[in-house]
Amino acid sequence: MGCYDCCMKCLGGVPYISLVATLLCFSGIALFCGCGHQALTETERLIETYFARNLQDYITLAYLIQYFQYIIYGLASFFFLYCIVLLAEGFYTTSATKQTFGEFRSTMCGRCLSSTFILITYLLAVVWLLVFALSALPVYFFYNMDATCQTITLLTETPASINQLCIDARQYGLLPWNAVPGKACGITLSNVCKTREFHLTYELYIAAFAGAGITLLALTHCSLYLAVRRMYLKEGRRVETEERKIYNLYGRLQKDREGGGVPPSPYPPQILSDSLPTE
C-alpha cells in the first residue's frame, strides 16, 4: 500500500462531523466559562463601587456570584470530558467498527451506548437552551445601562433635566430594596458608563452569551448527527439482512439444481391441478 492510499485510508476514518461538533463545543464552553467567570467578578466590583455602600447590601449577591463561578468550573470539566467521549465514540463507529464488524454491523452494547449518547446529548441541549436564555439577561441589563448613558450624553447639550434618568440595580434583583443608594442617575451614571470596568464587563457578557450560543449549536448539531447516523445504520442493517436472505435462498436453489432435484413449488397441489388443461 502506497503513502497516498495509506493517507486516504486514515482520512476516511476521521469522523469529520463529530470533530466539527467537538471543536464547536470546546470553543463555546471555553468562551462561556472564561468570559462568564471574569464578567461575574467585574460585576461584583461594579456593584460594590457604584451601587452599594454597605457590605450587607450585596453580601448575598457576592455569595451567588461565588456559587456561579464554582458551577462554571464544573461545567468546564464536564463538557471537556463529555466532548472527548463523543469524539472517541465517533472514531469508533467510523473506523474500528467498519473494519471489525463490517459496514452496518454493530453489537447490542454499541447500539445501547449510541442510544444513551443520543438521549444525554438531547437533554443537555434542552438544558443549555435555558442557560442560553439566562445568559441574555446580563446583556440586556448592560445594554439598557449603555443606552441610558448615551441618552444622558445627548441631553447634556440641552437644558433638559437628566437626573430623572437612572439605572436601578434593585429592580433587576441584584440588590435588596433597602440597599443604599441602589441606583445611579444622571451624570453619575454617565461617569459609570465611561469607566473601563463597565465596558469590559459588557463585552465579557456579550462574549459569554455568544459562547452559550455556540455550545447550543454544537449540542444540537451533535444530537441530530447521532440520531441520523443511528437511522442510517438501522436502515443499512435491514437492507443487509434482506440481501443475506436473498443470497441464502439463491444458494439453496443452486444446490438443488446441482443435485438434480426439483425445487419445491410454492403453490399448493390443489391450485396446480386446477390450472392443468382438461381434455
Side-chain angles (χ1 to χ4, degrees), residues 8-16 90-91 94-95:
M8 293 304 296
K9 183 178 180 181
C10 293
L11 291 177
V14 176
Y16 293 102
F91 271 104
T94 54
S95 58

Side-chain angles (χ1 to χ4, degrees), residues 110-120 230:
R111 290 194 291 269
C112 293
L113 188 62
S114 179
S115 301
T116 303
F117 276 128
I118 293 174
L119 179 61
I120 294 176
R230 179 171 175 80

Side-chain angles (χ1 to χ4, degrees), residues 27-239:
S27 59
I29 285 295
L31 197 60
F32 175 79
C33 293
C35 296
H37 183 278
Q38 186 61 31
L40 290 173
T41 303
E42 296 294 335
T43 301
E44 182 180 1
R45 190 174 303 167
L46 280 174
I47 294 295
E48 178 184 0
T49 305
Y50 301 103
F51 291 92
R53 298 172 184 171
N54 191 0
L55 177 62
Q56 298 300 322
D57 292 338
Y58 65 90
I59 189 66
T60 303
L61 178 63
Y63 282 132
L64 287 176
I65 288 176
Q66 187 177 6
Y67 293 150
F68 277 123
Q69 289 176 339
Y70 288 149
I71 292 174
I72 285 176
Y73 298 149
L75 284 176
S77 302
F78 171 77
F79 273 96
F80 178 77
L81 295 176
Y82 187 72
C83 289
I84 290 179
V85 172
L86 279 180
L87 184 61
E89 197 264 346
F91 271 104
Y92 177 77
T93 54
T94 54
S95 58
T97 302
K98 291 180 181 180
Q99 295 176 2
T100 305
F101 299 103
E103 180 72 19
F104 297 111
R105 297 181 183 179
S106 61
T107 62
M108 181 62 68
C109 180
R111 290 194 291 269
C112 293
L113 188 62
S114 179
S115 301
T116 303
F117 276 128
I118 293 174
L119 179 61
I120 294 176
T121 307
Y122 177 77
L123 292 177
L124 286 176
V126 173
V127 173
W128 204 258
L129 181 62
L130 179 62
V131 175
F132 177 69
L134 292 177
S135 62
L137 295 179
V139 178
Y140 175 73
F141 171 76
F142 279 90
Y143 173 78
N144 287 338
M145 190 172 176
D146 183 65
T148 305
C149 290
Q150 293 180 3
T151 303
I152 293 174
T153 303
L154 294 176
L155 291 179
T156 53
E157 301 176 357
T158 64
S161 176
I162 61 175
N163 292 327
Q164 295 179 356
L165 297 176
C166 303
I167 287 293
D168 196 339
R170 297 170 295 185
Q171 69 179 4
Y172 291 95
L174 300 177
L175 294 173
W177 285 106
N178 57 355
V180 179
K183 61 181 180 179
C185 302
I187 298 299
T188 303
L189 177 60
S190 179
N191 293 332
V192 173
C193 293
K194 294 177 182 178
T195 60
R196 170 189 162 283
E197 291 83 2
F198 171 78
H199 291 286
L200 177 62
T201 308
Y202 189 17
E203 293 171 358
L204 286 173
Y205 274 122
I206 293 176
F209 178 70
I214 294 174
T215 306
L216 178 62
L217 177 63
L219 291 175
T220 305
H221 175 80
C222 190
S223 61
L224 291 176
Y225 168 67
L226 290 174
V228 171
R229 186 179 64 187
R230 179 171 175 80
M231 294 177 60
Y232 173 73
L233 292 176
K234 185 177 180 180
E235 181 64 20
R237 287 194 300 269
R238 186 187 65 82
V239 173

